[in-house]
Amino acid sequence: MSKCKGYAALEARAPLGPYSFERREPREHDIVIDIKYCGVCHSDIHQTRDEWSAYQEESIFPMVPGHEIAGIVEAVGSKVTKYKVGDKVGVGCFVDSCRTCSECRQGLEQYCTVGTIWTYNGRDKEGKPTYGGYSNKIVVDENYALRMPENLPFDACAPLLCAGITLYSPLKHWNAGPGKKVAIIGLGGLGHMGVKLAHALGAEVTVLSQSLKKKADGKRLGADHFYATSDPETFTKLAGYFDLILNTVSAEIDWNQYLNLLKTDGTMVVVGLPEKDVPLAAFSLTARRRSVAGSQIGGIRETQEMLDFCAKHGVACDIEVVPIQKINEAYERVLKSDVRYRFVIDMASLGKE
Ligand code: NAP
Ligand code: ZN
Ligand code: ZN
């Protein structure tokens, strides 16, 4: 076991503070990563506040969050072939899976039927809690690490590992591209990556935000259109307009109102994970043979494809780098939709309190 330091919530809803813990000694196929940056996902807030208890077996405290991890390989196990010391690597939302079920064999480890092993707030194959990237080091099997773009700023690539792949996967699955009208609801961490990626894929992109405050940013990120959902006219003007809507909102909103914006055979994909259930009217779907679907991050293969796509198209995240001591403040700002557009923790700040 090796000693690690990080930041944890000691119990549900507690503010995060310094925390020491242990990680396993590297096994034959493990790499040890010196974490340089970790993105702050709204899921970190939901989980440290135990807002998903209705949908999860347990929440494990103390909880060290963080699943947008960018770091440098510091050591490798004896049988590692994919990475060497000094490589720039990433770790996303999961660190292992059963590897044998049909989903795992298809590269859909995030839907492993035996159980995806989450990067934090999960249990490894020995039943021990996993700890995430708000920490100085992580030990992970080489098959669950990613190769990071060489040509883009390292800190701005960390959030690709969750925000990036969570939007890339449904955009690809539902064929976003030239001639397709795509809407992104919510211009936060996920949403801003949705705009950049849908634009890079050649789709017509519309942002549906609560107000027009972020309009200039939306256009700069690649949006063709930008509407405020606080304006009731938005919903009459855009009725029946979209092929695909990606809903990234972290709170409960009226899905029926947004389904009405889909054309015949259109799909709304839910990626935002609010605390409470959202009611759905049958008529919202039957009226135009519409679908509502969900999507969860992406598998290792697709995450690597997304990172390579971003390297090729020069796509990284818009970030605000913060020291880890500011993490509780950053959470409050995310909750107020006051982030442009992802906080990234500079891990060099760890231990400097
Ligand atoms: P975020 O940065 O907070 O962005 C969410 C955006 O939603 C906000 O910026 C805001 O955009 C909008 N919003 C917030 N509250 C709203 C409200 N009450 N009504 C209408 N719009 C509201 O969060 P994130 O990190 O992008 O994550 C978004 C959600 O996705 C979270 O629930 C997270 O847990 C979930 N998530 C899911 C997956 C997955 O695999 N499915 C992966 C990662 C995260 P505007 O200011 O533009 O209105
Ligand atoms: Zn996330
Ligand atoms: Zn599996």
Side-chain angles (χ1 to χ4, degrees):
M1 302 288 260
S2 67
K3 283 234 173 290
C4 284
K5 53 187 179 181
Y7 260 53
L10 296 182
E11 56 180 35
R13 285 172 292 278
L16 274 63
Y19 179 65
S20 296
F21 62 101
E22 293 190 325
R23 297 205 189 263
R24 67 171 184 256
E25 285 303 320
R27 301 174 186 143
E28 287 176 336
H29 283 284
D30 280 345
I31 57 176
V32 181
I33 303 170
D34 177 20
I35 300 175
K36 297 294 183 195
Y37 298 102
C38 186
V40 176
C41 179
H42 203 121
S43 301
D44 302 343
I45 304 178
H46 288 306
Q47 293 190 86
T48 52
R49 299 186 178 197
D50 200 19
E51 291 174 349
W52 293 342
S53 56
Y55 312 104
Q56 282 180 335
E57 269 173 40
E58 59 171 351
S59 289
I60 307 163
F61 292 93
M63 188 187 295
V64 177
H67 58 208
E68 295 183 334
I69 302 168
I72 306 285
V73 176
E74 179 184 277
V76 297
S78 59
K79 294 208 171 138
V80 168
T81 57
K82 294 189 173 159
Y83 300 103
K84 57 178 187 335
V85 171
D87 283 354
K88 280 176 153 184
V89 291
V91 177
C93 296
F94 57 91
V95 287
D96 211 341
S97 64
C98 87
R99 309 182 187 208
T100 53
C101 76
S102 132
E103 279 76 358
C104 281
R105 279 187 277 118
Q106 290 174 71
L108 298 171
E109 302 91 346
Q110 77 277 29
Y111 304 124
C112 173
T113 52
V114 177
T116 308
I117 297 181
W118 304 110
T119 302
Y120 70 89
N121 196 19
R123 289 191 185 274
D124 66 17
K125 286 176 179 167
E126 279 90 51
K128 295 201 191 99
T130 54
Y131 298 108
Y134 294 8
S135 58
N136 60 338
K137 292 193 197 313
I138 190 164
V139 180
V140 63
D141 186 291
E142 60 174 331
N143 294 301
Y144 289 77
L146 287 309
R147 191 169 290 283
M148 299 297 277
E150 286 291 342
N151 59 328
L152 298 170
F154 202 29
D155 48 4
C157 286
L160 295 176
L161 294 157
C162 175
I165 185 59
T166 300
L167 277 289
Y168 182 84
S169 185
L171 285 167
K172 291 291 282 193
H173 189 79
W174 278 276
N175 301 312
K180 289 286 171 74
K181 295 184 164 73
V182 175
I184 308 286
I185 319 175
L187 195 62
L190 266 53
H192 97 288
M193 286 317 299
V195 172
K196 290 192 184 201
L197 291 166
H199 177 70
L201 288 164
E204 182 196 293
V205 191
T206 301
V207 175
L208 302 174
S209 185
Q210 293 168 94
S211 72
L212 293 179
K213 271 189 258 170
K214 301 175 183 170
K215 183 170 178 179
D217 284 351
K219 292 283 176 82
R220 177 178 53 78
L221 297 167
D224 300 284
H225 309 290
F226 197 106
Y227 289 91
T229 53
S230 52
D231 179 359
E233 256 190 45
T234 294
F235 292 94
T236 48
K237 215 183 280 171
L238 296 175
Y241 188 77
F242 298 107
D243 297 287
L244 179 64
I245 299 179
L246 300 184
N247 175 0
T248 77
V249 177
S250 48
E252 298 81 20
I253 55 170
D254 182 4
W255 290 0
N256 301 299
Q257 216 184 358
Y258 291 89
L259 282 165
N260 197 44
L261 306 185
L262 289 170
K263 55 172 78 154
T264 303
D265 286 329
T267 303
M268 176 168 86
V269 183
V270 176
V271 294
L273 292 163
E275 181 176 6
K276 299 196 182 79
D277 290 352
V278 175
L280 191 58
F283 279 94
S284 303
L285 301 172
T286 57
R288 287 193 182 211
R289 199 163 62 185
R290 295 170 173 128
S291 304
V292 62
S295 185
Q296 180 169 276
I297 44 171
I300 292 293
R301 225 178 284 159
E302 195 176 40
T303 305
Q304 191 62 59
E305 177 188 309
M306 176 275 309
L307 290 167
D308 298 344
F309 177 90
C310 287
K312 185 169 165 210
H313 293 267
V315 173
C317 307
D318 282 31
I319 57 165
E320 182 176 335
V321 178
V322 288
I324 199 156
Q325 292 77 10
K326 289 247 165 89
I327 189 64
N328 296 304
E329 229 170 274
Y331 277 16
E332 290 306 322
R333 285 183 54 197
V334 171
L335 290 169
K336 284 189 231 141
S337 305
D338 174 26
V339 45
R340 304 275 191 285
Y341 279 87
R342 196 61 142 187
F343 287 111
V344 169
I345 302 164
D346 180 355
M347 223 47 75
S349 61
L350 194 61
K352 293 198 176 144
E353 34 279 315

